[in-house]
Structure formats: C-alpha cells, structure tokens
Amino acid sequence: MGYPHKPHAKETALLSKHFGDPDARTYKGWAKRGGYEAWKQAQTMAPAAITDVVKESGLRGRGGAGFPTGLKWSFMPKEKKKPHYLCVNADESEPGTFKDREIMRWTPHALLEGTLIAMRAIQAEVGYIYIRGEFTEPYAIMEQALAEATKAGVLGGHKIHLHRGAGAYICGEETAMMNSIEGKRGNPRIKPPFPAAFGVFGMPTTINNVETLAAVPHILRQGAAWYKAMSLSNPKSTGTKLFSVCGHVRLPGNYEVTMGFPLKDLLHELCGGMRPGRTLKACIPGGSSVPILNREESEGCLLDYEGCVEKGTMLGSGGVIVFDDSADMVYQIMRLARFYAHESCAQCTQCREGTAWTTKILERILAGQGKMADLDLLLDLSDNMTGKTICVLSDSCAAPVVSGIKKFRTEFEDYIAGRKQPVMVA
Amino acid sequence: MPDELINLTIDDVPVSVPQGTLVIEAAKQAGVLVPHYCYHPGLAVAGVCRMCLVEVEKAPKLQIACATTVAEGMVVRTQSEQAKQARMGVLELLLINHPLDCPICDQAGECELQDFVFQEGRPGTRYAEYSKRFNPVEDFGPDVLYVPNRCILCTRCVRFMEDLAGEPVINVSERGDRAYIGIHPNARLDHPWAGNVVDLCPVGSLLSKDFLHKARAWELDKTASICTGCSQGCNVTLDTRENVVVRVRPRPNLQVNRYFICDHGRLNYRWMNRGDRIEAPLVRRHATDWDEALSRAATVLRGAGGKAVALVSPRTSTEALFLARRLLARFEWTGAFQVVMGDEAPLPGVPDLALRAERAPNARGAELLGYSRDYAAALETSRTAAVVLVIDEPDAAIETAGTLLYLGTVLPESAHGAEVVLPIANVAEEDGTYVNRDGRVQRYFQAKPAPGMARPAWWVLSELLAQVDGAEHCASAAEAFDALAGSTDAFQGLSYAGLGAAGQGITAKAGARA
C-alpha cells in the first residue's frame, strides 16, 4: 500500500505492503500475515546457509553504499572467538530520506525479524537498533514491538537493544554509530580496522540498514531466485527499493518499486507529476549527499545502483528530492551545504573548515556580493574536500556543489552579476 | 631478530622496516618528514588533520601516512603533485580560522603550522572578507592557557589527557567549524603531567604560563640535560636565553621518559639562575684565588688523619662523587647523602614513568659509589672527624672538631665556619652524569657559564687530588668518568662517549654495546 497514497499499479509492494495498517504493527497481526515464519525457517538453517541465500539473492545495502549484504555478512569471522554484534542503522538522517521511519512505524516486526535472521547469520548474540533521536513515534512503536516479541518468546536467546541517537547526522555513519553506542562522541573511525574485525566494543560487528534487513525475511521465505528475478534493468541490482519522494511533486511520499524502475515514471506517474504549470528542473535521487541531476538526466535515469552511476550520481538511500522550475538552485545548494557544515563532526580539517567556508561563499553569492572567481574557488575547495577524509560527509557536501555549479552555473552567475535580486540569508 | 623486514620505497629511497611500521615512521628512515599535525609517536593515531596525505601506488586515493602500515613493495610518493596539492589544501583550510598573530604568539619560531605553511603553503589566502572564528582565551590549569583561536583541533592534548594521563578532563566540544577544546566545567587541567599538552600542541594554542612572553623561540639556546626533580632521570632540554634558563622541556628517550616530563620537573629550574652564588674561593671567609684556596685545602688534607666524612648533595655529579671518595681514600671514610621525599605521581599510560618520591637525581649514583643514606650517623661521625668535606649540601647542621671543607654553589649559614669554601658550578653549568633509579647512567651538558670563578666540582676535586696525591688531574668530565668506570665495578665497561645522549644501563658490558 503506497501509504499515505493509494497504491499505484506500477509499485511492487513488498516492504510497504502493510504500511498504513495498524493491525500489522502488533505481534498477533504480524504473525497472522506470515510474520516470523522466515525466522523459524532460519533457525533450522546453518548460519553460513542463511548468508549464502542472501548472497545469492543479490541484496545490496539500502543505506546508501549499496554493498552486497551477503558478502558483508561473510566478512564476519567464521570461527567465533569473541562476541559478535549486529548494529541496525535506523538513524536515517540523510536529508530527503524517510523510508526506514515508515518501516519502523508500520512494520516493526519486519525489522525485528530481519534483525534476528541477520544475527543468526553472523552469529551475534546481541543486536543494537540505533534509532534516530527525533523518531519518537517509531521508537515507541519499536519498543512496543520488541516487548511483544520478547514476551512471545521469538527472540530465541538473542538480545536486542534499542538505542536512541541524540540528533547528530554523523551518527548514521557506521563507525560513528558504533562510537555512539559505546557512549562516546559520534566520530567516525579510521578504517582499517573494519567493523567485521574491530567493531562496537572492539568486537566483530556488522552494520545493516533497516530496509536491508526488512527485505531479508522475504528472501528467506520466497527464495533467492525469486528476489533476484526482481530486476528491471541491471541484474546486479535486485529486489525492490523504497523511494522517499519529497519536494515539488504533487504526491510526495514513499513508493516501492522494483530495481531499475525509471525515475521519470516515479516522478510523473506515481508521484502525480509536478504542480500545475510547473516543469521538472532538477532531482537528487539518493538523498542529499549525491550529485544533482538536471531534467534530462533525471528523465533518463533508471533507479538502480548502476543506472544512477551512469548518470553521474548514486542511488544512495533512495531519498528523492525534486525541484521544479520555481526552485532557486543556489539557495537550495546553500541550504544543503549549511546542513553539512552544521553536522560536520570536526575531526578532519577539510570537512570542518571546508563545509563552513563553502557555506559562507554560497551565502555571499546569494547576498549579491559574490565574485565570478568564487565559482572556481568553490570547485577547487570541493575537490579538496573529496576523497581525503575519514568519512564521506565532506564529499557529500561537495557533491551537490560541484554538480550544481556544473549544471546550473547561470543561476550562480545571475546572482553574482546582479541580474537576480539578492536573497537575505537568515 | 624480530619479524621479517618489509621493503618499500619512499620518494624513490628504498627502506626496510619491521612489519606493522607506519608509513610516516618508515619515511623518517628515508630521510623524509611527512608534514603532520595530529600524529605524534607517543600518542594513539587519530588520523584527523589529514595533513600527511601521500600517494601510494595502486591505492585509489591518497592515503594518510600516519594510519597506513607498510606493505611489501609499496611505492610511496610524498612529493607527487596530487599529494602536494592536498597538503596545500589542508594548510589553507587550517589557516582560514587561524589568526596570523605570529608576532605576538609564543609558539612563533617553533610552530609546526608556521613551518609547514612556509614550506608548502599557498602564498596567499582565498578566504577573503570573512571573519575568523573567535573564542576568548581560557585558563585551563596551573600552567596551561588555552587560546582557542589558534587551535587546529589536532586533538593531541585530548588524547594525552585521556589515554596517558587517564584524566579525560578536556574534549572536543561542539561540531563543525565551531569546535574547540572544552574543559569539564568542574575540572582543571592540573594533573601532575598536564604540562605536556603545551609541548604536544603543534601551534600556539596551549601555552605555558610559566614561559609566557619570556622569550622568542629563536633566541633560545638548547642544551641536553637530565631533570633534577626526582630519581626518574627524565631527559630534558634546558632552554637558555642569554645564559638564563627560561624553560625546561622533555627530550625524547624511549627508555626513560618517552616524550614527556612532569610539571614538577618542568618548573624545577629557577634555582639554576640564583643570583646569590659564591663567585670566589674563600679561605676563612676571605675571598681569594684558586691557587691559595686549593693549596690551603690540600694542606689540610695532607696534614690530617683518622676519620673523614663526606656529606654530599644527591644532585652532585657521579664524577664529583667518585673523586671526592678517592680524595678521602686515605682516611677512615664515611660518605652520606640525604634525600628530600615527596609524593609519587605516575603517568598511568606509560609503564615505569612517574615523578618519584625520591627527589634526588643521583641517589643511585651515590649509593653505587658507597655513599650511605644514613645521614644522621654521618653527621654524628662528623663530630669527631678530622676532615668534613661537604658538597653543596646547605641543610647540613655540621658540628665538627676537625676541619670543614665546603664545596658549594651558595654559602649557607652552616658553611660559615669552613676553613675553605670552594665555589662550584650547578647542573646547568657543567658536564656530568647522573645514575637514575633504574641504574641508567645519563649525561647532562653545560648550558651556561658558571658565575665568577666557580668551577665544576669534578675539576675542583681533581685539582685537589693532584695536589694531595700527585694524581694526574682530569681535563674533563669525560676523563673523570672514564677513571671512575675503570676503577668501579658497577660502572665497568661504560665510557663517557659511549653513553651518548640517551645513556646506558650500568649492567651493560662493553661487548653488548657494540
């Protein structure tokens, strides 16, 4: 169900099938809908066998990086010498992304079930679900669901903790999250060591996104081949993906489609197209951290990992931010840069200073005090901020700036040349 | 042999290093200093300043030399265009919020930001017309001021306090470019080893109140020395300006103090600059020259017999202690020293490193040479001794029927009755050695001239020996030490030259040193 909208015929509702149905939230309701069947099945399987099924399904991480999930699980030590941990990334703080929130709101048991299966696959006895601090309602729902599942005895000796974030974007970065869980400041760690060797509390750890884990029970129940067959374009991108669409469309919301679905159809059909009299100008397909697409690129983009890369962007988290022709791209990009400047953890020089400087330059351009040289400076600065830091927050700030200047340069030049009314930036 | 060596090239220089070595350390062996800020060999790797980015062949992007371990066949380029551009970028970013107040900054001249910007920074900034981050100066602790505007957030201070001092009272507060080093509202940076954060700070952000505005770095002369604060024997550098000791800083010695010294030792130098020094020899309180004074003392020693007592400061050089004992060899000899005791203050993160309770740098050396800790008994013996020789021990309430010979830096009340007073140099004014509590013999070097006619104690005693016994006199501390090593079992196999700047353990034998 295409909550909060009516389902669209072109959607493939797998994870979102029960969105909007409060009965599915409860343990009883979930069990009635086939809940925890996959978990029962998993308990009869060897951990390596579960990993193999997920590997075979082609499932890739839905948090942003798109790393093959089964492969990630297989990095965990086979012979268990220390406690293993699973961390579930429910921090979902990427601007434009709100899919995990809906999974937790409507199908909390789907996440718990996927979590339990993953824990068995990686031989973890303890799991942490790290929930974004602002998600008060999803947290309460998850808490309730966990209590019910515990009471029903489905955890099978596994321990799951819900851990609330405190509002930092960076805690969605997996190594920062582990620090945060440990009670430390949420600073990303240098890699190596990788989490599978030295993760939370220094123990082998796997971190998976909510949507990734919610897909796992379906894969177990219906088989890897079935899941793998769900692919409209590139066979390396399989299954369904939730897209959180926001911005200038008539029907913003979460939409679940099969991998390889055309972005054009998502925007113009599922989301009802632009507002009356407006045309599509730009689109960020994978959350605020990925390069911006112009109209032509957007309308030719197929929504899977490879399709997005082909257009010079990334599938990311699937947070689709849509801009119509009324959007001021300079202002929008400044807002994104300001977000990153605010959220930089302050460890790496390029990020700490670069995100703030980028913001200042953009604010100055908006105020009508920019110089043409500022554009080259922004590009050079962005180059300095790309690929040189511990995590990719700095790169994420640079991505929209670089693609924005490349694709919408005249809008910047209009401010600088005084052809456009300066904007007071609060 | 340890593990197999790994071969790699750094800027076309082949090096072989043990497995697990960091590229930044391997580079030192190739004679390459990779510019860096957050990395410090004595601290955990943070990898945050991103200054040490280097090109590693086959790596998809630049790597930080401080967190990359060497691999067989690795090809590292620190001077590739890409690496230089990246570092130039970091320097520009570090400077956008850094005040260019070098003319009034204590760190100027020994500032790593200044150095690397000069070496490879941009000629000008592009951060034009924006204001810089401002935060007022904060008083962190007894000897530490924090100037946040100069801070580049390398986190060395935070890691030191957390990992080594075990007192995590400071942190990185706030995020993004608003970040600064914060201190717990109810805490002070007053750990006994806290002063090290000033040395660790690569810029002028953490300042020593003691050294504030005392000197510019380029006015300082630096001399290797040994801390006299306790029996740990931390290696230090005495910084002098115009022959005045103005600062004591740690000198790295991985065997003793790694990169650190405690605050007690750091601030224990003012006495080296005392103005009330004895500047001329005295015979019965009348100033005279060395010839008369030495000849008078020699006459006393030649004419006396029976018991002799040496009361010595545990700050006396090993050489002087040895010569004093030799000088009194013809007597029924007693030697003793007294030790001031204080609280022990360890640096928890470094094994076997502490401000020791025994505030005596050469107590072990004195013991090895036969001096006793039973000071009271020696004082008692003094009453009936023919000769009492004192070396710079001002607290001695000496009563003797014999003759008092006093070698000292200053003239205490107790020395007023001395037959002869011979002015000697203090630790900053002579060469010599101390033996620390672990039996490590370490050299200290002369940092400034002794006042007036004062001479090193080893010289004075050697002259006396020559006059009394016709012994060959020593021309240097080295000769005195080598004579000591040649005749004292505990020091066998050691040589002054062989001690080097890092010292050697008394158990080391000649063969093992090669």
Side-chain angles (χ1 to χ4, degrees), chain A residues 28 43 58 141-142 155 167 174 189 250-251 339 353 401 418:
Chain A
K28 269 191 190 155
Q43 284 171 297
I141 293 167
M142 285 302 301
L155 264 55
E174 61 182 24
R189 302 176 181 174
R250 281 205 235 192
L251 301 169
F339 171 81
E353 308 292 345
V401 172

Coordinates of all heavy atoms in Angstrom, one line a residue, chain A residues 28 43 58 141-142 155 167 174 189 250-251 339 353 401 418:
Chain A
K28 N 0.5 -10.2 17.1 CA -0.6 -11.1 16.6 C -0.9 -10.8 15.1 O -0.9 -11.7 14.3 CB -1.8 -10.9 17.4 CG -1.9 -11.8 18.6 CD -3.3 -11.8 19.2 CE -3.3 -12.5 20.5 NZ -4.4 -12.1 21.4
Q43 N 16.1 -20.5 11.8 CA 16.6 -21.2 13.0 C 16.9 -22.7 12.7 O 17.7 -23.3 13.5 CB 15.6 -21.1 14.2 CG 15.6 -19.7 14.8 CD 14.5 -19.5 15.8 OE1 13.3 -19.5 15.4 NE2 14.8 -19.3 17.0
G58 N 21.3 -11.3 -4.3 CA 21.8 -10.1 -4.9 C 21.4 -8.9 -4.0 O 21.6 -7.7 -4.5
I141 N 7.0 2.7 18.9 CA 6.4 1.5 18.2 C 7.4 0.3 18.3 O 7.0 -0.8 18.6 CB 6.0 1.9 16.8 CG1 4.8 2.9 16.8 CG2 5.6 0.6 16.0 CD1 4.6 3.5 15.5
M142 N 8.6 0.6 18.0 CA 9.7 -0.4 18.1 C 9.8 -1.0 19.5 O 9.9 -2.2 19.7 CB 11.0 0.1 17.7 CG 11.2 0.4 16.2 SD 11.0 -1.0 15.2 CE 12.2 -2.2 15.8
L155 N 12.6 -14.4 20.4 CA 14.0 -13.9 20.2 C 15.0 -15.1 20.3 O 16.1 -14.9 19.9 CB 14.3 -12.9 21.3 CG 14.1 -11.4 20.8 CD1 12.8 -11.1 20.2 CD2 14.4 -10.4 21.9
G167 N 20.6 13.2 17.9 CA 20.4 14.3 17.0 C 21.6 14.6 16.0 O 21.5 15.6 15.3
E174 N 28.5 4.5 9.9 CA 28.5 3.2 10.7 C 29.6 3.2 11.8 O 29.3 2.8 12.9 CB 28.7 2.0 9.8 CG 29.9 1.9 9.0 CD 30.0 0.7 8.2 OE1 28.9 0.1 7.8 OE2 31.1 0.2 7.8
R189 N 35.4 6.5 12.7 CA 36.7 5.9 13.0 C 37.5 5.7 11.6 O 36.9 5.6 10.6 CB 36.6 4.6 13.6 CG 35.8 4.5 14.9 CD 35.7 3.1 15.3 NE 34.9 3.0 16.6 CZ 34.6 1.8 17.1 NH1 34.9 0.7 16.5 NH2 33.9 1.7 18.2
R250 N 3.4 16.4 -6.9 CA 2.0 16.5 -6.3 C 1.8 15.6 -5.1 O 1.1 15.9 -4.2 CB 1.0 16.2 -7.4 CG 0.8 17.4 -8.3 CD -0.5 17.3 -8.9 NE -0.4 17.4 -10.4 CZ -1.4 17.6 -11.2 NH1 -2.6 17.6 -10.7 NH2 -1.2 17.6 -12.5
L251 N 2.3 14.4 -5.2 CA 2.1 13.4 -4.2 C 3.4 12.9 -3.6 O 3.9 11.8 -3.9 CB 1.3 12.2 -4.8 CG 0.0 12.5 -5.4 CD1 -0.5 11.3 -6.2 CD2 -1.0 12.9 -4.3
F339 N 23.7 22.6 6.0 CA 23.4 21.4 6.8 C 24.7 20.6 7.1 O 25.0 20.2 8.2 CB 22.4 20.5 6.0 CG 22.2 19.1 6.7 CD1 21.4 19.0 7.7 CD2 22.9 18.0 6.2 CE1 21.2 17.7 8.3 CE2 22.7 16.8 6.8 CZ 21.9 16.6 7.8
E353 N 36.5 22.8 8.2 CA 36.7 24.1 7.7 C 36.1 24.3 6.3 O 35.5 25.3 6.0 CB 38.2 24.5 7.6 CG 39.0 24.2 8.9 CD 38.6 25.2 10.0 OE1 37.9 26.2 9.7 OE2 39.0 24.9 11.2
V401 N 27.4 20.7 -4.6 CA 28.0 22.0 -5.0 C 28.6 21.9 -6.4 O 28.3 22.7 -7.3 CB 29.1 22.4 -4.0 CG1 29.9 23.6 -4.6 CG2 28.5 22.7 -2.7
G418 N 24.4 40.5 -10.5 CA 23.4 41.4 -10.1 C 22.1 41.3 -11.0 O 21.3 42.2 -10.9

